[in-house]
Amino acid sequence: MSRLELALCTGAALLALGLISPATAQEPGVKLAIGDFGIGIGDVPRLDGLRLNFRDRHLVKVRGINATVWTPFEPSRGVVHGIALGLPVTGAREIKG
């Protein structure tokens, strides 16, 4: 089993046990995390871990990997501490890493 598969299985098990919860209704995404540590899918504002998103609008802070498919809405917001990946480009107010 790969590390990604193990992480996804662990997250699913913790979610099923009620130890973690999806993002709040105000967040346009799913946050599989304990506090802010975990995996975010969609425009989750804050995350320490892996954040996968189509296009950033509500980015506040990511520590880890922020992967997007399209350029962020203007003006660029938020801070990425770590790796920022994007196709065709990525963006944030500040990228450190």
Side-chain angles (χ1 to χ4, degrees):
M1 181 178 287
S2 72
R3 287 184 182 182
L4 178 59
E5 291 171 330
L6 180 62
L8 292 174
C9 289
T10 302
L14 291 173
L15 182 63
L17 292 173
L19 297 176
I20 59 175
S21 61
T24 62
Q26 294 87 10
E27 296 176 353
V30 176
K31 185 175 176 181
L32 300 173
I34 297 173
D36 283 340
F37 182 77
I39 299 172
I41 301 170
D43 203 10
V44 177
R46 296 177 182 271
L47 192 74
D48 296 338
L50 175 62
R51 181 177 182 265
L52 305 171
N53 188 30
F54 177 73
R55 191 171 187 192
D56 293 334
R57 180 186 303 260
H58 301 291
L59 176 63
V60 175
K61 186 175 189 178
V62 172
R63 290 188 293 194
I65 299 172
N66 184 53
T68 58
V69 178
W70 201 249
T71 58
F73 287 96
E74 293 293 330
S76 294
R77 297 182 178 136
V79 177
V80 176
H81 292 276
I83 299 171
L85 304 171
L87 294 172
V89 296
T90 189
R93 183 176 38 96
E94 183 178 338
I95 299 174
K96 295 180 178 180

